[in-house]
Amino acid sequence: MSKVVLITGASSGIGKSIGEFLHAKGFTVYGTSRSPERIINSVFLLLALDVRDKENIQKAVAEVIQKAGRIDVVINNAGVGITGPIEEIPSEEIKNNFETNLFGPIEVMKAALPFMRLQNSGLIINITSIAGYMGLPYRGIYSASKGALELITESLRMEVKSFGIHITNVAPGDFATNIAAGRFHSPLIKGSPYEIPYGTTLNALNEHVDSGSNPNEMAEAIYKIIQNPNPKGHYKIGAFTQKFSIILKRILPDKVFEKMLMDHYKI
């Protein structure tokens, strides 16, 4: 019997690549999108879901159970980028980022866990970010929301292990997707003390995404994790230099690592 997989944010980018890869491998895949009616020629079923809506989440998970009879894997992929000087980012945009990147995934897990507990089995994969391992200039809110999800996953992983449920984080680096198009960019304000350094960083960020890795690398990594009967708590997927930055943060003095980041972003 093929495993039943639910992937949030599966209409494009990494989520779509994962869904298509798993579908080709024989999995029963359900993806989600805020506007599934706009997506044509999807090889797997797309359900309507906004992860900021608790009732919507519960309805989507119940629909998967109704259609498939079980839920074996949940991949919390839905997320949104945000950039800007923390001082200038509107508070409502900060709250929206945490609703999407942190509170939404928590609610998805809370909706799926009772069914997985009844099955005495299940796997939840939270897509975080290498950016969640460090505070990055002009990406502080994004780093914080993804970093918080990393820690939530660590805690929940221990809480549900006795139920036969595994939870893991997968932190990608830069991948060639359309995430930059959906990212909230705090506007460059003429005369702002952040105008020049933020503008420089923004250009660098867009270049990194455009030259990022192939999303299929993430799909293959996710497939291997699902096949592993005892997955690790953390996986990092991406360019060597991005993964190595996490090690550098651990071993270098704070001021040295901070200087490296500022040089990297030319600020």
Side-chain angles (χ1 to χ4, degrees), residues 6-24:
L6 173 64
I7 308 170
T8 65
S11 61
S12 63
I14 287 174
K16 180 181 179 182
S17 294
I18 294 171
E20 291 176 344
F21 191 92
L22 295 181
H23 173 79

Side-chain angles (χ1 to χ4, degrees), residues 178-191:
N178 62 348
I179 187 172
R183 179 192 294 149
F184 172 79
H185 296 291
S186 187
L188 285 169
I189 299 174
K190 190 73 174 176

Side-chain angles (χ1 to χ4, degrees), residues 94-202:
I94 295 175
K95 292 175 182 176
N96 178 69
N97 192 267
F98 272 81
E99 288 287 348
T100 305
N101 291 357
L102 177 62
F103 301 128
I106 290 173
E107 292 298 335
V108 171
M109 290 189 285
K110 289 169 70 174
L113 281 171
F115 296 104
M116 290 182 168
R117 195 161 49 245
L118 287 173
Q119 299 167 179
N120 196 36
S121 66
L123 170 65
I124 297 175
I125 301 174
N126 290 326
I127 307 298
T128 57
S129 174
I130 287 177
Y133 283 83
M134 60 199 74
L136 297 176
Y138 305 109
R139 297 181 72 188
I141 301 304
Y142 183 75
S143 290
S145 63
K146 290 296 188 176
L149 184 56
E150 285 270 342
L151 294 179
I152 287 288
T153 304
E154 288 184 1
S155 298
L156 190 56
R157 176 180 166 88
M158 293 182 282
E159 293 174 5
V160 303
K161 186 167 285 190
S162 63
F163 306 134
I165 302 169
H166 297 282
I167 304 185
T168 185
N169 285 310
V170 178
D174 291 325
F175 281 83
T177 69
N178 62 348
I179 187 172
R183 179 192 294 149
F184 172 79
H185 296 291
S186 187
L188 285 169
I189 299 174
K190 190 73 174 176
S192 164
Y194 303 106
E195 180 184 2
I196 294 175
Y198 172 44
T200 301
T201 300
L202 197 56

